[in-house]
Amino acid sequence: MTADAARPNDDSANTPASGALAASPFLLACRRRPVPHTPVWFMRQAGRSLPEYLRVREGVPMLESCTRPDMIVEITMQPVRRYAVDAAIFFSDIMVPLKAIGVDLDIKPGVGPVIADPIRTAADLDALRPLVPDDVPYVTEAVQGLAGELGTTPLIGFAGGPFTLASYLIEGGPSKNHERTKAMMYGAPELWASLLDRLADLTIAFLKVQVAAGASAVQLFDSWVGAVAAVDYRESVLPHTRRIFAAMEPLGVPRIHFGVGTGELLGPMGEAGADVVGVDWRVPLDEAVSRVEPGKALQGNLDPAILFAPWEIVERRARDVLARGRTAEGHIFNLGHGVLPSTDPDVLARLADLVHEASTEDRLQ
Ligand code: CP3
């Protein structure tokens, strides 16, 4: 550990994470504090790439598994046992809060979320009532259970971002071009704003439940917002995202903001109020540093498909991500998007070890 790394972590004194947890490399990096090694975790680290996940999930539909605290705890812990990751991510789905308030939806294997009655008119908005903690008792119970099991490993809570949730609701399922979604955004701005307002409230409530129960950080997955031009993002999405991050501020946990294909949006996304901006694999981290306003840590950004290349290539590319990440005020190593289902877990294990070893060596030089 360098002398820098021993500096007291003074700005975390008022946060829920105290003592050993607050000194975890992941939370330190989120706060742009010195770290003993670059922390690493993987989006979708729990899931289909793990044989133990497939065994536990056998015969249990996705959304049902998200309502069973024992299953949530087990699946969240699986990658933590396997890999030297510096954080766990809560096993759930961005659609869970919508299901919890009564929206008729399913997650179909190989397809994704499918909505029975898409939201397309002002009257349809009535389906989106506010979420209260009693709607998701299984989330509270599972997070509390995990806080005990994880010890000094932080738990990341998460929710879907407003554009991504709106797209599933309006299209009725996954969409390549988001045409109905954008038609509402461009053509019915008042309806669009009311919808995103309700979704922002839902997201705030869902994230608050997770933090109240013991989550140490939160990530907002606005996965598909990269489909929006920067000028429209600023006008039609940013105000809602900003409200979400502002509402989370008093809770004192680091806030991460992620989307795919967001190279052109990194500037405005950096203005939304998160502490950490997630970067997909298309923009090198040193370039992302110049696009995001100062005062942010970055998370990312190895191409998840690189894990299918020979190890020498994986290693070279991972070292390159680390080197570029050192130009950021704080860096959390991750993939540029989620772990692909056919990824070899042994490669992820080796990658987590490499990130720790290589970043420790760097700091000793
Ligand atoms: O390990 C983790 O990262 C935590 C778990 C997690 C899941 N979904 C579990 C899941 C997280 C963080 C999510 C978020 C999520 N869900 C996002 C944002 C992240 C991203 O990838 O951009 C999105 C867009 C969704 C919606 C969704 N849910 C999709 C597109 C799918 C895949 C459908 C398919 O079969 O291809 C899901 C299902 C889902 N969510 C699975 C898992 C592990 C796979 C379902 C299964 O195992 O049967």
Side-chain angles (χ1 to χ4, degrees):
M1 206 184 265
T2 62
D4 245 357
R7 236 164 53 195
N9 178 30
D10 46 23
D11 64 354
S12 69
N14 300 322
T15 71
S18 57
L21 190 52
S24 76
F26 168 76
L27 293 176
L28 289 175
C30 287
R31 298 185 186 290
R32 296 170 287 117
R33 310 290 304 183
V35 286
H37 61 251
T38 302
V40 52
W41 69 281
F42 305 115
M43 290 185 275
R44 296 280 180 106
Q45 63 190 17
R48 286 172 289 184
S49 58
L50 295 179
E52 58 269 37
Y53 168 82
L54 296 174
R55 272 197 296 278
V56 172
R57 278 285 321 283
E58 214 168 304
V60 185
M62 176 63 196
L63 282 170
E64 188 190 327
S65 69
C66 296
T67 63
R68 288 170 53 171
D70 55 337
M71 210 173 254
I72 298 172
V73 171
E74 166 58 23
I75 294 174
T76 302
M77 292 304 295
Q78 285 176 347
V80 179
R81 292 187 201 117
R82 233 184 217 267
Y83 313 131
V85 282
D86 294 274
I89 179 147
F90 187 65
F91 179 75
S92 187
D93 194 85
I94 59 168
M95 304 310 286
V96 165
L98 286 164
K99 179 85 179 172
I101 60 166
V103 175
D104 187 354
L105 68 93
D106 194 11
I107 295 184
K108 294 216 169 22
V111 178
V114 177
I115 317 286
D117 305 304
I119 305 251
R120 291 176 187 162
T121 67
D124 295 338
L125 290 183
D126 291 343
L128 302 175
R129 67 161 173 83
L131 178 118
V132 295
D134 280 349
D135 291 318
V136 286
Y138 41 85
V139 171
T140 299
E141 196 185 320
V143 173
Q144 285 171 345
L146 280 164
E149 290 234 0
L150 282 164
T152 57
T153 302
L155 176 69
I156 304 169
F158 73 90
F163 180 85
T164 301
L165 293 180
S167 174
Y168 282 120
L169 284 173
I170 297 167
E171 307 289 341
S175 166
K176 190 159 169 267
N177 299 315
H178 310 279
E179 47 268 68
R180 287 176 186 270
T181 310
K182 288 185 174 180
M184 188 193 290
M185 184 181 82
Y186 293 127
E190 283 176 13
L191 176 58
W192 171 258
S194 323
L195 171 59
L196 265 67
D197 249 341
R198 289 194 191 216
L199 293 175
D201 285 336
L202 183 74
T203 288
I204 292 165
F206 189 57
L207 291 175
K208 280 186 172 174
V209 167
Q210 296 173 65
V211 174
S216 299
V218 291
Q219 175 156 328
L220 190 72
F221 283 94
D222 212 349
S223 300
W224 314 139
V225 77
V228 180
V231 63
D232 297 307
Y233 176 85
R234 274 190 191 283
E235 191 176 319
S236 305
V237 183
L238 181 58
H240 305 280
T241 312
R242 211 176 243 153
R243 191 160 70 76
I244 294 170
F245 286 125
M248 297 307 291
E249 170 141 45
L251 281 70
V253 300
R255 298 152 294 176
I256 310 171
H257 189 190
F258 171 77
V260 184
T262 49
E264 294 298 323
L265 299 182
L266 287 173
M269 281 176 72
E271 294 165 29
D275 305 282
V276 183
V277 176
V279 183
D280 86 355
W281 67 92
R282 294 172 178 90
V283 179
L285 288 179
D286 52 336
E287 169 62 26
V289 166
S290 67
R291 296 190 190 183
V292 174
E293 65 180 13
K296 306 284 164 190
L298 297 184
Q299 176 172 279
N301 73 341
L302 192 71
D303 185 345
I306 278 183
L307 303 180
F308 296 82
W311 172 252
E312 293 67 34
I313 310 296
V314 178
E315 173 165 357
R316 186 170 0 117
R317 295 296 192 125
R319 286 183 186 273
D320 183 60
V321 168
L322 282 171
R324 293 177 193 274
R326 295 213 74 179
T327 66
E329 294 177 49
H331 176 215
I332 297 131
F333 190 101
N334 207 314
L335 303 178
H337 195 191
V339 172
L340 296 165
S342 53
T343 304
D344 177 354
D346 291 341
V347 177
L348 282 174
R350 209 168 165 188
L351 176 59
D353 291 342
L354 171 73
V355 170
H356 284 166
E357 284 158 24
S359 62
T360 307
E361 282 161 21
D362 278 355
R363 280 171 178 76
L364 294 176
Q365 272 164 18

